[in-house]
Amino acid sequence: MPRRNLIDTFEAAKHAGPYDEYPVLLESADPQLHLSRNDRPQPFLLTCGKDSILVQMSGASRIEMRDSSVLYFDAVPGDYIYVPAGTPHRIVPSEASVMYRYKACQAGLEALTFTCDSCGETLFQETWDTAAEMPQLAYQRIVERFNGDPALRTCSCGHETPAIDLADYRWKAIAEELSATEAEEAW
């Protein structure tokens, strides 16, 4: 999907997938808009090193937060949800949803946190620098690590969280597409 100054959100969303976080504006736009079309719960908590804003364009979702005075927001079309820097959160659609995330171009550190789906205890967390690794590549790499190690998925309560099915996530393909586009633009 080519980046533009102006985008038809719902046309672009036809090509988006769950938690793609696909940047849609020209690379120089700050903050950048990241598009996703979500139809299932986000398989991890995301923590952004800088403030971000989620925009519910269609459908409905619950934005769950941890380590915050606010535990969740129920979002419907037109809602803007402010997510303070350092707040672990995850999106749980109650119906198929198109969402944007406003995020700084130089987003800094981000982290994925996996929790026990039985008791909610933190199982595993990894932080990366978005200046060194694209979020989509980090998502793919970290989820594969989580999937590949049963010890990371096993909670002190004894429950083993199942591996995440990666079949419908396009993170690797998106990273390859974005890398190719950046290489072309560098010419």
Side-chain angles (χ1 to χ4, degrees):
M1 175 177 2
R3 293 182 179 203
R4 301 187 173 121
N5 276 333
L6 184 63
I7 187 163
D8 179 337
T9 297
F10 297 105
E11 185 61 35
K14 292 177 185 176
H15 309 287
Y19 309 101
D20 280 357
E21 297 276 337
Y22 196 103
V24 295
L25 298 178
L26 295 177
E27 195 172 351
S28 60
D30 193 10
Q32 182 60 246
L33 281 176
H34 298 263
L35 179 67
S36 295
R37 187 182 71 221
N38 306 322
D39 60 359
R40 67 202 69 187
Q42 193 169 11
F44 46 73
L45 292 157
L46 175 64
T47 304
C48 299
K50 296 185 179 178
D51 297 347
S52 65
I53 296 175
L54 294 169
V55 182
Q56 187 79 39
M57 300 298 292
S58 71
S61 298
R62 175 167 279 193
I63 314 306
E64 300 175 345
M65 298 189 179
R66 282 190 150 193
D67 305 329
S68 172
S69 61
V70 175
L71 298 178
Y72 65 87
F73 283 98
D74 286 326
V76 296
D79 284 348
Y80 285 69
I81 298 93
Y82 169 69
V83 182
T87 303
H89 62 285
R90 95 178 179 136
I91 301 164
V92 181
S94 52
E95 56 188 72
S97 300
V98 174
M99 295 188 86
Y100 275 122
R101 179 186 301 274
Y102 284 80
K103 192 162 91 171
C105 279
Q106 305 299 320
L109 298 178
E110 294 189 356
L112 296 188
T113 304
F114 300 87
T115 58
C116 176
D117 57 7
S118 179
C119 72
E121 182 178 319
T122 296
L123 298 173
F124 171 63
Q125 180 180 53
E126 186 170 332
T127 302
W128 78 97
D129 187 344
T130 60
E133 184 176 23
M134 253 183 246
Q136 292 84 356
L137 283 178
Y139 297 169
Q140 184 77 31
R141 177 182 57 77
I142 295 168
V143 171
E144 285 176 354
R145 179 174 176 204
F146 180 73
N147 281 352
D149 188 347
L152 294 178
R153 298 193 323 269
T154 303
C155 183
S156 61
C157 76
H159 177 76
E160 183 178 333
T161 297
I164 297 162
D165 182 0
L166 288 169
D168 294 328
Y169 295 100
R170 305 172 333 119
W171 299 319
K172 190 173 181 181
I174 290 167
E176 289 169 358
E177 182 180 332
L178 292 172
S179 294
T181 301
E182 289 172 8
E184 287 174 15
E185 289 173 1
W187 267 97

